[in-house]
Amino acid sequence: MLRNRNLLARRCPHPRSWFYSLTIFVSLTSFVASADTAQPGVFGEDLYFGELPIILSATRLSQPLAEAPLSVTVIDREMIDASGARELADVFRLVPGFLVGSFDGHQRTVGYHGLLDSFNRRMQVLIDGRSVYTPTFGGVLWSDLPLSLEDVDRIEVVRGPNAASYGPNSFMGIVSITTRHASDTPFTFFKMSVGDPDYASIFFRDGMNYGDIDFRISVQRERDSGFENIADSKVTDRVNIRADYQATARDNFSFNTGINTGERGEGEGTPTNPDRNINATSYFIQGRWRKTISPSEEFSLQLYHNSFVSEDRYFASLGALSGIVNFNREGRRTDLEFEHTLLPKNDLKVAWGFELRRDEGLSDNIFLGRNVSNDVYRLFGNMVWEFYPRWLINLGAMLENNDLTGTDTSPRLAINYRFNNHHSYRFTASRATRTPSFFEARVDFYHILDFGGVPVLEQSYLTQDDVSPEKIDSVEIGYVFDFTELNFHGDIKFFREKISGLISSYDIPLLFNHGLPVIGGESDSFHNLDNAVIDGIEFQVEWRPSFRDRIVFGGALLDIDSDDIDEPFSDTVPDNIFSLMWIHRTPGALSTAVSYLYSDDFLYLGDDHVEEIRRLDFRVAQKFGNKNSPSEIAFIFQNILGSYFDMNDSNVFDTRAYVSLAINF
Amino acid sequence: MLRKFEYHELGRRSYRRTLLFCFLLCISVISPISYATSIKVAIIASKESITQQFIVEELQRSLNKMFSGKEVNLEFSLYEPNNLPTNIPLHSLWITVGFSAATSYYELEIDSPVLHGLLPRSILLTIIEGNRKRNIQVHGIHLDQPPIRLLNLVSAASPKFTHIGVLLGPSSSSFQFALNEYARKAGITLHTENISTQSDLIAALERVLVNSHVLLALPDPLIYNRYSIQKILLATYRRKVPVVSFSSALVRAGASMAVHTTQEQIAHQLAEEAFSIIDNPRRPGTFISPPKYFSVSINQQVLRSLELSIPDDESLLRKLLELEK
């Protein structure tokens, strides 16, 4: 269990005036630079016989769902817009088996099949191939990601462990977010939204093209006041820049960078946890080279660096105890990855590669030493082979070595049988591990307080034992159906997930540390103790009864069995989770979308028992203006059916409404 | 007065001359080629283009084969575009391969018949239109398949493709009528968007893709060019809409299938047309032809990823050939 901790760090290095200057620069650029300087008019025989860049190459082509080793849910741009979601985390309510919670107005937790606390860390999350779970606490800072929802093109969610394909931390599931290609957004785009609760957002994006180079820059500021009567407001500024360069017919380069910075409200209004504002900044820089050797062979090389800095430091007192509470922290990741993909034969695809990564955690008083680091080495290989007509084998494995826990292997085997064009069956066995975060494996979280003039130590957490990786063994039987004539397709799976070595906290006796007496003579520490078995049935179907209608329905029926020695894990998995979305487009450029979400009651570890949630959202949007660059006005109503408690009794999610206006120039 | 012997000598000589004259007259009427013992054919093509050089070689080989047994000596003169000599001997026929070659021919100010090859239809028409004043025989075989041939490929690939999306631009808008006629007869639904500037492309493409089972790519430089194909292929793939295109290069880039003409087929048709021009001179005029021979290519990887099951390329070609009979 991890409660959210906001820690003090260095001051945000990017002053707010920089943001305004950049906005003005971008606005000027859109008028100065021509939107498209390509010369389409004259072309020779290249388009017929020449060497054009291979756009749909071996790595870009996704595996058909009938041949995939695990269930995959794809959330495309239409679904993102129809959901009315303002934040990335909320989109995941549409994925079967997923739960989304709010610790407060700017701290979200997203997880698959339960076991959630305020900072779920049992999932790999990738943005354009860049892993964004934090090395410090292991989870994803959803509201602090340097990514605007408007720039997301699609999200693929792999429901199950697949470390062989997606790398470390691909434990219970993998979220792979793809942003729009720079050439997809050649227009100037502006979007403004206002609504509940004191919510406002301004988003601006411009795309430029210079021959073989496409650029995109997007800028956003948003704010809202969070839940009522809680100091959890936020003001967030985001900037993203992306460039895609087709250097030759065989070489493609992409460059991405982005920043998310802002103030967040914190505190409970008490002397030990006063209301205050903290600063949080995250940024990244990423480069990728994709070399297409032939339509059946290519390799890619990627280098990126992520950084997150949080600043939270305040004076607290409780009776005779007082002192500076320091939650400063910084997490960094630098990563180099190489992948080679080839199709030696039509029925055989092979991919292999390696990854070198350094994770770092920096803080004055949280980790064992001011700077902890973990070097990770990964070697992986995957093979997809139609060894017999209609029979496919997906075999892969990852070998990982890291400083914290040594070497682990994560194999994955799937056998797919395509009965005919309408029915496919799948058996999958997969193993993955979750390396403990720095907070779980290298923690020394303390504060020096004053007790009537005597310095004492408040020790919150201290690493005592070696903490091993959590391990998951998953087995599933899947059925994929596709009735193209009826525009009806989907999949259903029966699964069992055995999780061992769940990391949980427990009390340890501690009288002295750092030369000072410890208040209470104890601390929390982490160890591997509990196990859990989660069984269930999960499904999703999509039906398009006409060109104007699209219905997506998904759900999970879950059952968990755990000894609950340290934590009540058994209570963290709801029996049922369902989601339904219906998108309807009328001939007059009006579209409507209805989303219904249901989950049974369950518990968030460290927080409260959440009652049954029934949530109905509605969106209506009207396009207008030039049909080639249309504008759109949309009205969104969230949670029409009434209030529910989101993660704890203080977070009352009531009915919210907002309006957005999007203009293409 | 001639003696009798001299009369007979004179008579025999006159008779032999008459006989020879009649013989030559017959030969000239029956077989004019027999007179052209040496036929000069000039070919303009760029040495830097492997495609053009391949076509030139195949063209020469095919023509030689066509003229074998006809007691004709073909002489080929090969020239580079933009590097033509000033004094050029007379040729029976000029053949240009590619854009530079075609435009450089009109700088020569000669009246020999010309045959243009390896040009898209729109470019060929533009070049011919720009030089219409020249009173010469102009022949052209362009690269672009007749739209009906691509539509036949759509129907041969799958009967489920009943909604066909088409983007039309300035060079392809003239096909609208033929497309509508086909759709009416075949009972399919066309979703057409016309664009006049490239900035309209993305929005028009999105509108077309919403309602279409397949995107029919008709050649138009404004729509399908080296800069736009990335956007088009990515957008269609995301929407799970296969692209039926007009070139093997597009299939390699990611289009699902194409009906196209290979370099060998282009060379062979050019040779046939050249043989026809030489063998049967016509009056000055313009004679434009589409490709006569064609092949089918499919991208198995893309089709598999789209989970589309269609016949193989040989089966599709057989069906198309049957439909064209």
Side-chain angles (χ1 to χ4, degrees):
Chain A
M1 177 270 296
L2 271 182
R3 285 193 178 276
N4 174 66
R5 303 286 182 188
N6 288 313
L7 309 164
L8 217 58
R10 285 175 285 288
R11 194 117 187 106
C12 165
H14 301 274
R16 200 57 52 81
S17 60
W18 168 81
F19 170 81
Y20 291 116
S21 305
L22 191 60
T23 308
I24 293 168
F25 166 77
V26 166
S27 306
L28 286 174
T29 307
S30 68
F31 287 101
V32 171
S34 59
D36 184 357
T37 58
Q39 299 295 319
V42 178
F43 69 113
E45 64 256 26
D46 281 356
L47 205 63
Y48 298 82
F49 304 107
E51 193 180 16
L52 297 175
I54 298 171
I55 309 302
L56 300 183
S57 58
T59 53
R60 238 188 203 135
L61 290 173
S62 52
Q63 212 171 8
L65 293 178
E67 295 181 5
L70 292 150
S71 296
V72 178
T73 296
V74 177
I75 304 174
D76 55 27
R77 190 67 232 173
E78 183 183 44
M79 290 174 70
I80 294 171
D81 289 336
S83 70
R86 301 196 299 227
E87 290 192 36
L88 180 60
D90 289 315
V91 173
F92 295 101
R93 297 182 205 277
L94 298 169
V95 183
F98 265 65
L99 295 165
V100 179
S102 306
F103 179 74
D104 61 32
H106 55 80
Q107 298 184 60
R108 319 301 304 282
T109 190
V110 178
Y112 182 54
H113 290 173
L115 306 178
L116 297 195
D117 56 22
S118 60
F119 207 58
N120 181 58
R121 51 206 170 280
R122 295 189 173 94
M123 247 178 8
Q124 165 71 293
V125 178
L126 302 162
I127 301 176
D128 294 328
R130 182 173 56 87
S131 181
V132 297
Y133 70 91
T134 60
T136 46
F137 292 87
V140 177
L141 298 160
W142 291 101
S143 297
D144 296 310
L145 289 173
L147 170 70
S148 293
L149 190 56
E150 285 297 324
D151 285 337
V152 174
D153 181 54
R154 60 194 274 117
I155 303 172
E156 289 187 6
V157 182
V158 178
R159 293 182 272 119
N162 194 357
S165 299
Y166 295 95
N169 224 61
S170 301
F171 194 67
M172 296 185 78
I174 298 99
V175 169
S176 180
I177 299 166
T178 305
T179 62
R180 298 185 199 242
H181 196 275
S183 66
D184 276 349
T185 52
F187 309 114
T188 303
F189 176 79
F190 173 81
K191 184 172 180 179
M192 185 175 73
S193 306
V194 292
D196 300 320
D198 294 326
Y199 174 78
S201 166
I202 297 177
F203 176 85
F204 180 88
R205 178 173 60 218
D206 195 25
M208 291 151 274
N209 168 266
Y210 299 101
D212 288 312
I213 307 179
D214 293 291
F215 287 103
R216 179 185 73 237
I217 182 164
S218 56
V219 179
Q220 180 180 25
R221 162 166 279 202
E222 69 173 355
R223 64 162 174 83
D224 70 71
S225 60
F227 290 105
E228 207 169 339
N229 302 321
I230 298 175
D232 61 352
S233 62
K234 69 173 181 284
V235 179
T236 305
D237 296 322
R238 294 187 187 92
V239 179
N240 283 90
I241 296 172
R242 175 167 173 161
D244 291 286
Y245 175 39
Q246 190 70 42
T248 70
R250 296 169 186 263
D251 297 278
N252 179 277
F253 295 90
S254 69
F255 171 76
N256 269 324
T257 186
I259 187 167
N260 175 323
T261 184
E263 280 190 348
R264 313 272 183 266
E266 276 293 337
E268 295 170 340
T270 62
T272 53
N273 194 4
D275 291 349
R276 61 195 184 276
N277 281 331
I278 69 166
N279 284 299
T281 298
S282 60
Y283 71 87
F284 77 96
I285 187 163
Q286 176 188 24
R288 184 183 212 145
W289 172 34
R290 184 185 278 130
K291 174 87 177 180
T292 308
I293 298 166
S294 74
S296 57
E297 186 178 4
E298 73 175 47
F299 68 79
S300 70
L301 189 65
Q302 169 176 266
L303 178 66
Y304 68 84
H305 176 80
N306 294 344
S307 174
F308 173 73
V309 174
S310 182
E311 174 185 274
D312 185 10
R313 197 165 185 268
Y314 61 92
F315 179 80
S317 65
L318 180 67
L321 272 174
S322 65
I324 297 294
V325 176
N326 182 3
F327 292 139
N328 286 356
R329 72 184 185 277
E330 181 175 351
R332 297 177 191 158
R333 171 170 295 142
T334 307
D335 190 289
L336 176 74
E337 182 178 329
F338 170 82
E339 182 169 351
H340 180 217
T341 306
L342 67 157
L343 288 85
K345 301 190 294 182
N346 256 343
D347 55 10
L348 176 64
K349 180 175 176 179
V350 175
W352 71 275
F354 62 85
E355 180 178 5
L356 312 172
R357 172 189 292 186
R358 166 160 287 190
D359 283 342
E360 293 174 278
L362 294 89
S363 172
D364 290 330
N365 61 317
I366 299 176
F367 305 119
L368 288 171
R370 300 187 97 140
N371 185 334
V372 289
S373 66
N374 185 24
D375 289 339
V376 182
Y377 304 94
R378 170 172 81 108
L379 186 65
F380 63 92
N382 281 288
M383 175 187 76
V384 183
W385 180 31
E386 189 173 1
F387 61 93
Y388 192 77
R390 299 181 182 278
W391 286 90
L392 201 76
I393 182 170
N394 279 272
L395 182 63
M398 176 187 81
L399 184 70
E400 177 189 345
N401 174 272
N402 67 74
D403 295 337
L404 289 181
T405 57
T407 305
D408 285 295
T409 309
S410 301
R412 185 254 299 125
L413 168 70
I415 306 281
N416 295 63
Y417 171 56
R418 187 187 275 273
F419 180 71
N420 57 29
N421 287 342
H422 299 304
H423 310 281
S424 301
Y425 303 91
R426 176 185 73 237
F427 169 79
T428 304
S430 180
R431 167 175 291 176
T433 59
R434 182 183 79 80
T435 304
S437 63
F438 287 137
F439 194 78
E440 290 165 324
R442 292 287 186 271
V443 67
D444 180 12
F445 185 25
Y446 67 93
H447 290 93
I448 298 175
L449 303 176
D450 179 273
F451 185 65
V454 177
V456 292
L457 201 75
E458 191 214 8
Q459 186 78 39
S460 300
Y461 293 89
L462 178 69
T463 294
Q464 189 161 72
D465 307 316
D466 282 340
V467 181
S468 302
E470 295 179 342
K471 187 189 289 183
I472 183 170
D473 289 311
S474 168
V475 171
E476 66 176 61
I477 294 172
Y479 165 62
V480 179
F481 59 91
D482 185 357
F483 298 102
T484 315
E485 314 80 33
L486 302 173
N487 292 313
F488 182 65
H489 66 91
D491 75 270
I492 184 169
K493 72 171 185 179
F494 303 82
F495 65 90
R496 165 164 285 201
E497 294 165 344
K498 288 176 66 174
I499 303 166
S500 56
L502 281 167
I503 297 172
S504 53
S505 64
Y506 70 110
D507 293 334
I508 57 169
L510 185 70
L511 297 178
F512 285 92
N513 196 15
H514 297 288
L516 294 173
V518 175
I519 297 172
E522 64 176 14
S523 173
D524 280 340
S525 188
F526 290 102
H527 61 178
N528 305 84
L529 187 64
D530 269 303
N531 303 314
V533 177
I534 304 174
D535 297 312
I537 301 171
E538 201 166 276
F539 66 92
Q540 64 180 9
V541 295
E542 179 167 331
W543 180 36
R544 293 180 189 249
S546 71
F547 273 118
R548 303 199 185 287
D549 293 283
R550 181 181 180 188
I551 298 170
V552 182
F553 177 50
L557 291 80
L558 305 169
D559 179 69
I560 181 171
D561 184 26
S562 173
D563 292 333
D564 297 344
I565 303 171
D566 268 348
E567 300 279 2
F569 291 108
S570 297
D571 293 340
T572 65
V573 178
D575 291 335
N576 303 290
I577 311 170
F578 297 110
S579 66
L580 171 70
M581 170 179 272
W582 177 21
I583 303 170
H584 177 74
R585 286 178 293 114
T586 68
L590 179 81
S591 66
T592 57
V594 175
S595 305
Y596 179 71
L597 307 156
Y598 173 84
S599 68
D600 281 331
D601 61 287
F602 65 100
L603 172 74
Y604 282 100
L605 294 170
D607 276 282
D608 296 333
H609 205 100
V610 174
E611 296 299 318
E612 179 183 274
I613 295 176
R614 297 169 192 268
R615 174 169 163 165
L616 183 68
D617 295 356
F618 177 70
R619 179 180 188 267
V620 57
Q622 172 73 50
K623 282 189 166 48
F624 60 94
N626 183 340
K627 70 168 184 175
N628 287 320
S629 54
S631 301
E632 183 184 73
I633 185 163
F635 297 90
I636 297 95
F637 304 92
Q638 295 179 332
N639 195 31
I640 298 169
L641 297 177
S643 307
Y644 64 87
F645 295 117
D646 191 345
M647 202 163 176
N648 61 61
D649 292 343
S650 307
N651 300 346
V652 178
F653 195 101
D654 45 22
T655 301
R656 295 179 179 180
Y658 76 94
V659 59
S660 72
L661 174 66
I663 301 174
N664 275 300
F665 296 97
Chain B
M1 180 108 147
L2 290 171
R3 289 187 295 232
K4 192 178 178 181
F5 168 77
E6 286 167 340
Y7 254 126
H8 285 162
E9 277 296 317
L10 274 173
R12 274 201 294 276
R13 282 182 210 150
S14 297
Y15 172 75
R16 280 200 295 270
R17 283 195 200 112
T18 305
L19 202 60
L20 179 62
F21 175 75
C22 290
F23 173 75
L24 289 173
L25 185 64
C26 289
I27 294 295
S28 67
V29 168
I30 294 166
S31 173
I33 293 176
S34 298
Y35 273 112
T37 54
S38 180
I39 296 179
K40 290 186 191 317
V41 176
I43 303 177
I44 313 176
S46 171
K47 279 187 185 164
E48 290 169 3
S49 166
I50 298 172
T51 303
Q52 293 182 19
Q53 288 306 305
F54 179 86
I55 289 174
V56 166
E57 286 172 19
E58 280 297 305
L59 168 60
Q60 290 177 82
R61 199 179 59 76
S62 294
L63 260 178
N64 278 324
K65 201 171 171 183
M66 287 172 192
F67 278 107
S68 65
K70 291 195 184 295
E71 298 180 2
V72 166
N73 181 32
L74 275 180
E75 287 179 26
F76 293 100
S77 305
L78 303 180
Y79 298 107
E80 283 267 336
N82 305 318
N83 194 22
L84 296 167
T86 46
N87 293 323
I88 298 177
L90 186 68
H91 290 83
S92 302
L93 172 66
W94 284 78
I95 303 175
T96 72
V97 181
F99 176 76
S100 304
T103 52
S104 66
Y105 167 80
Y106 291 99
E107 294 167 10
L108 292 174
E109 300 286 337
I110 54 179
D111 296 331
S112 301
V114 64
L115 169 60
H116 298 303
L118 201 68
L119 285 168
R121 176 178 167 273
S122 57
I123 306 286
L124 175 64
L125 293 176
T126 303
I127 292 172
I128 291 174
E129 198 63 34
N131 296 278
R132 194 166 273 284
K133 290 179 187 171
R134 304 289 298 274
N135 196 26
I136 54 174
Q137 246 189 81
V138 177
H139 298 255
I141 299 172
H142 60 78
L143 291 168
D144 298 333
Q145 311 296 326
I148 191 92
R149 199 173 278 164
L150 272 86
L151 285 163
N152 284 342
L153 179 60
V154 172
S155 73
S158 174
K160 296 175 188 174
F161 294 153
T162 55
H163 287 254
I164 301 177
V166 186
L167 290 173
L168 296 175
S171 303
S172 52
S173 55
S174 56
F175 294 133
Q176 180 82 71
F177 180 76
L179 291 170
N180 290 342
E181 274 298 293
Y182 178 93
R184 190 179 58 79
K185 287 176 189 170
I188 59 166
T189 306
L190 272 182
H191 301 277
T192 311
E193 289 279 345
N194 284 274
I195 68 167
S196 53
T197 62
Q198 209 185 33
S199 57
D200 297 338
L201 174 63
I202 295 283
L205 180 63
E206 290 293 327
R207 286 196 298 273
V208 153
L209 291 179
V210 163
N211 299 313
S212 304
H213 296 137
V214 63
L215 179 72
L216 185 73
L218 296 178
D220 191 305
L222 184 72
I223 301 170
Y224 301 100
N225 55 69
R226 198 167 144 259
Y227 301 103
S228 69
I229 52 161
Q230 176 163 253
K231 298 173 207 185
I232 293 170
L233 289 176
L234 287 175
T236 50
Y237 180 68
R238 274 201 306 277
R239 292 273 192 173
K240 302 260 184 234
V241 174
V243 177
V244 175
S245 66
F246 50 87
S247 87
S248 56
L250 283 173
V251 169
R252 194 165 176 273
S256 293
M257 62 194 96
V259 57
H260 61 95
T261 302
T262 65
Q263 298 168 23
E264 293 90 341
Q265 290 167 336
I266 290 170
H268 188 71
Q269 190 178 353
L270 282 172
E272 285 183 345
E273 186 77 359
F275 180 85
S276 168
I277 296 167
I278 295 168
D279 191 41
N280 187 19
R282 300 175 220 186
R283 292 181 179 173
T286 305
F287 310 92
I288 307 293
S289 310
K292 186 171 155 190
Y293 306 105
F294 54 89
S295 301
V296 171
S297 292
I298 61 175
N299 188 322
Q300 286 284 10
Q301 301 300 329
V302 170
L303 287 167
R304 187 172 192 149
S305 182
L306 294 175
E307 298 186 86
L308 286 173
S309 177
I310 67 168
D312 61 33
D313 47 359
E314 288 177 11
S315 304
L316 289 171
L317 181 62
R318 270 199 302 276
K319 279 191 188 176
L320 259 63
L321 289 169
E322 280 171 25
L323 287 167
E324 294 226 351
K325 280 181 185 168

